[in-house]
């Protein structure tokens, strides 16, 4: 995992958009925004599955599935889906992703400055985004990712695109309130 300020330079969303002159962000800095990050290496003796099972038990995740995002797996829907994933949105539930293969980027909005923070994820990275955080997702130039999604209840993925309504969404408000001690709210 690598996290840094998104450079906002026009161009393909699948490019790194990284200004190497700026420092990278640490996992501690990401945790200040409510993110949880772990690296659980994919190995051949299935220890990663035990680690995921333990995490699921600790955080009350009851369901999971595996999603492949690629031109081959999604066919004609690929480009449209990638645009949907990259549109700024929030969820009313945590978004939990464990990367099994491939690579991509989660971008989160820094609440006080509104700038994007890009988080590069690859095989073995587990990322938990809190409910109410504005974010988006895209693949990298490899155009492929296989990820396990974990859910507290029935699997669902309902994005709420950023608007004045989502700014007032109770999950958004609760998220910003949870940051007050460490980050000034918008």
């Amino acid at each position: 995992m690598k996290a840094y300020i998104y450079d906002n330079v026009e161009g393909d969303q699948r490019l790194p958009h990284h200004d190497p002159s700026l420092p990278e962000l640490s996992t501690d800095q990401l945790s200040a925004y409510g993110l949880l990050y772990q690296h659980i290496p994919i190995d051949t003796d299935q220890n990663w599955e035990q680690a995921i099972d333990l995490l699921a038990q600790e955080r009350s995740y009851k369901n999971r599935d595996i999603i492949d995002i690629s031109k081959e797996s999604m066919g004609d829907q690929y480009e449209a889906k990638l645009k949907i994933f990259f549109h700024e949105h929030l969820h009313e539930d945590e978004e939990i992703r464990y990367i099994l293969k491939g690579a991509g980027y989660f971008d989160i909005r820094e609440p006080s400055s509104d700038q994007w923070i890009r988080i590069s994820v690859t095989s073995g990275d587990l990322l938990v985004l809190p409910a109410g955080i504005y974010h988006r997702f895209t693949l990298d130039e490899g155009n492929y990712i296989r990820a396990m999604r974990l859910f507290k209840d029935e699997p669902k993925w309902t994005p709420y695109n950023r608007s004045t309504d989502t700014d007032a969404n109770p999950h958004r408000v609760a998220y910003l309130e949870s940051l007050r001690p460490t980050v000034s709210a918008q």
Side-chain angles (χ1 to χ4, degrees):
M1 186 276 306
K2 183 191 285 190
Y4 49 87
I5 303 300
Y6 184 84
D7 68 10
N8 284 317
V9 172
E10 288 290 321
D12 189 341
Q13 68 195 36
R14 293 170 257 211
L15 295 174
H17 289 277
H18 181 223
D19 179 348
S21 70
L22 297 174
E24 292 182 11
L25 281 73
S26 70
T27 55
D28 286 343
Q29 288 171 298
L30 293 178
S31 69
Y33 301 117
L35 277 74
L36 171 68
Y37 169 78
Q38 283 184 280
H39 185 75
I40 304 170
I42 304 289
D43 52 32
T44 56
D45 63 3
Q46 307 305 310
N47 286 338
W48 67 267
E49 289 185 272
Q50 293 170 357
I52 294 296
D53 289 343
L54 181 61
L55 176 85
Q57 182 180 4
E58 289 170 355
R59 295 186 63 84
S60 301
Y61 300 147
K62 297 179 184 119
N63 292 295
R64 62 184 81 171
D65 67 11
I66 294 177
I67 184 170
D68 282 307
I69 302 173
S70 69
K71 291 177 185 177
E72 294 74 27
S73 67
M74 300 179 102
D76 294 340
Q77 297 281 325
Y78 174 74
E79 291 296 334
K81 285 288 189 184
L82 217 53
K83 285 180 184 176
I84 290 170
F85 297 154
F86 200 63
H87 197 333
E88 182 175 6
H89 63 277
L90 63 77
H91 302 287
E92 294 183 340
D93 298 308
E94 289 182 339
E95 181 165 334
I96 307 97
R97 300 293 181 267
Y98 177 56
I99 310 306
L100 298 166
K101 292 181 184 175
Y105 300 108
F106 282 92
D107 297 337
I108 64 163
R109 279 283 187 195
E110 198 285 328
S112 60
S113 69
D114 216 32
Q115 66 187 6
W116 284 112
I117 296 171
R118 175 153 275 195
I119 304 165
S120 171
V121 292
T122 60
S123 178
D125 288 336
L126 177 117
L127 190 62
V128 179
L129 302 177
I133 191 171
Y134 284 125
H135 66 284
R136 61 189 184 188
F137 172 79
T138 191
L139 297 174
D140 72 358
E141 292 176 282
N143 291 316
Y144 174 75
I145 202 165
R146 171 175 265 199
M148 179 181 289
R149 304 184 302 177
L150 294 104
F151 305 92
K152 289 199 181 237
D153 293 306
E154 290 301 313
K156 67 178 180 176
W157 187 84
T158 305
Y160 296 93
N161 291 338
R162 187 171 186 175
S163 69
T164 54
D165 288 341
T166 55
D167 286 344
N169 178 295
H171 296 275
R172 176 69 180 164
V173 171
Y175 168 69
L176 293 174
E177 285 294 321
S178 75
L179 300 180
R180 263 199 217 286
T182 57
V183 179
S184 61
Q186 294 177 354

